[in-house]
Structure formats: C-alpha cells, structure tokens
Amino acid sequence: MPILSTLRTTASAGVRFAQALVQKSQQTKVPVRYMGGNKMVVRPSRFQSQQLKDDVFYFLSLGIVPLGLIVLYTNVRIGPAELVDTPEGYVPEKHEYYKLPITRYISKYLSFNSIEKYHERSLYYLYKADMKRKAKLEQKKVRQLQKSQVDQKGWYYVPIQGTLEQREQSYESFKPNKKV
C-alpha cells in the first residue's frame, strides 16, 4: 500500500510538471525592459510663462534699479528741505513749498498744472458736496412739512366749464381735507 500511494503522488506531480512545461512553451515571450518603473507624463509646456516672468523681472529691474539709486542719492546727498524764516520781500516759488527734493523737481520741471488749479478744483468739489448736502436737508424739510400738514403733491386737471359758481363748486370738490 505504501508503494501505491508514493507512485500516485509522483505520477500526479509528473503530470503537473508536464502541463506546466506545455503551457510555458505555448506562451509568447515578451521582452522585459528594466527602466526604473517611472512613466513619462505628458503635460503642457511652461516655457511661455517662464519667459514672461523672466522678461517682467528683467525690465522691472532695468527701470527700478537706476530710479532707486537716483532716489537714494537725492535723499542722502540733498536731503529734505528745512523750514527757515524767509527774508523780507522774498516771495517763494511754488516748487519751494515741497519738502522732498524729488517732489520739488517734479513740481518745478514736470508739472503742467499749478497749485492754484489744484486748489480751485478741490474747492469746486467741496462746493459741490455742500450743495448736495443742502439739497438733501431741504428735501428732508419738505417731507417733514408734507407729513405734518397732510399736504401731498398732486397734479390733476380741473375742467373749466359753465359759470363762475359752477367752477367754484367743482374746485371745492378737489380740495384736500385738512385737519384743524
């Protein structure tokens, strides 16, 4: 008995081995490439955005660096203006009223509008705001009077026909009732 059981296990193992060999020979072999397992992901290019950032930085630094150096030089070398007494009979020019040297330069050479124009313009805006305020106050007062006197706006047409007495009677019918 023990002999039959050993033959049976070896026979079944041999059959399984033969089946595995047949299956292996029937399979097609695919070459395996060992490339690290990473896949190449296709994504849009960032060249244009990087180029734009580089250009913006370049042109900003091309303008900001010299202007920064000029501002630094004027503020360190010249400095802000100091308040002193004016001599008798001296009338200061409009650019001498500013404290910083760059503001004085802009006011003297690059400004097309005078201080007086700016002042007049600001006075006009103040006048306009004051007129709006007064109009609102007047409207508020009118509404309060209308409520207190029970008086309302009314546009209506009173037909004129007949004699004077008839006209007066028709007019009396249109008068609003007032509380006494």
Side-chain angles (χ1 to χ4, degrees), residues 131-160:
M131 293 306 291
K132 281 183 185 178
R133 183 186 61 83
K134 286 181 181 178
K136 285 182 182 179
L137 285 174
E138 193 172 343
Q139 286 177 356
K140 187 177 179 183
K141 186 176 178 182
V142 165
R143 285 191 192 109
Q144 286 176 350
L145 288 173
Q146 283 178 347
K147 284 181 183 177
S148 67
Q149 296 177 0
V150 192
D151 188 17
Q152 300 294 327
K153 292 188 282 186
W155 292 279
Y156 47 84
Y157 172 69
V158 179
I160 301 175

Side-chain angles (χ1 to χ4, degrees), residues 1-57:
M1 283 285 184
I3 295 175
L4 286 178
S5 62
T6 25
L7 286 176
R8 188 177 60 171
T9 55
T10 55
S12 64
V15 168
R16 276 185 266 145
F17 181 71
Q19 285 176 348
L21 284 177
V22 168
Q23 285 177 354
K24 247 186 190 179
S25 66
Q26 289 176 353
Q27 289 178 352
T28 58
K29 293 192 177 188
V30 178
V32 178
R33 298 182 181 109
Y34 300 100
M35 295 172 34
N38 296 332
K39 294 181 180 179
M40 182 176 143
V41 179
V42 179
R43 51 177 83 109
S45 172
R46 292 187 294 184
F47 175 76
Q48 292 293 329
S49 61
Q50 291 292 340
Q51 188 70 26
L52 177 69
K53 289 176 192 174
D54 290 343
D55 288 345
V56 166
F57 178 75

Side-chain angles (χ1 to χ4, degrees), residues 28-100:
T28 58
K29 293 192 177 188
V30 178
V32 178
R33 298 182 181 109
Y34 300 100
M35 295 172 34
N38 296 332
K39 294 181 180 179
M40 182 176 143
V41 179
V42 179
R43 51 177 83 109
S45 172
R46 292 187 294 184
F47 175 76
Q48 292 293 329
S49 61
Q50 291 292 340
Q51 188 70 26
L52 177 69
K53 289 176 192 174
D54 290 343
D55 288 345
V56 166
F57 178 75
Y58 172 72
F59 287 114
L60 283 178
S61 62
L62 193 66
I64 289 176
V65 170
L67 284 177
L69 291 174
I70 290 170
V71 167
L72 180 70
Y73 173 76
T74 56
N75 285 334
V76 169
R77 180 83 174 134
I78 299 170
E82 295 178 7
L83 189 61
V84 295
D85 292 334
T86 55
E88 194 69 32
Y90 177 73
V91 178
E93 296 180 22
K94 66 175 186 171
H95 64 88
E96 293 177 356
Y97 287 105
Y98 295 105
K99 183 178 181 181
L100 299 176

Side-chain angles (χ1 to χ4, degrees), residues 98-127:
Y98 295 105
K99 183 178 181 181
L100 299 176
I102 295 178
T103 313
R104 286 194 305 261
Y105 177 81
I106 290 172
S107 171
K108 186 175 183 179
Y109 298 109
L110 302 178
S111 177
F112 298 109
N113 292 334
S114 65
I115 296 173
E116 293 83 13
K117 281 187 182 179
Y118 286 123
H119 181 67
E120 290 291 329
R121 191 175 299 146
S122 65
L123 286 178
Y124 168 73
Y125 290 135
L126 289 174
Y127 172 76

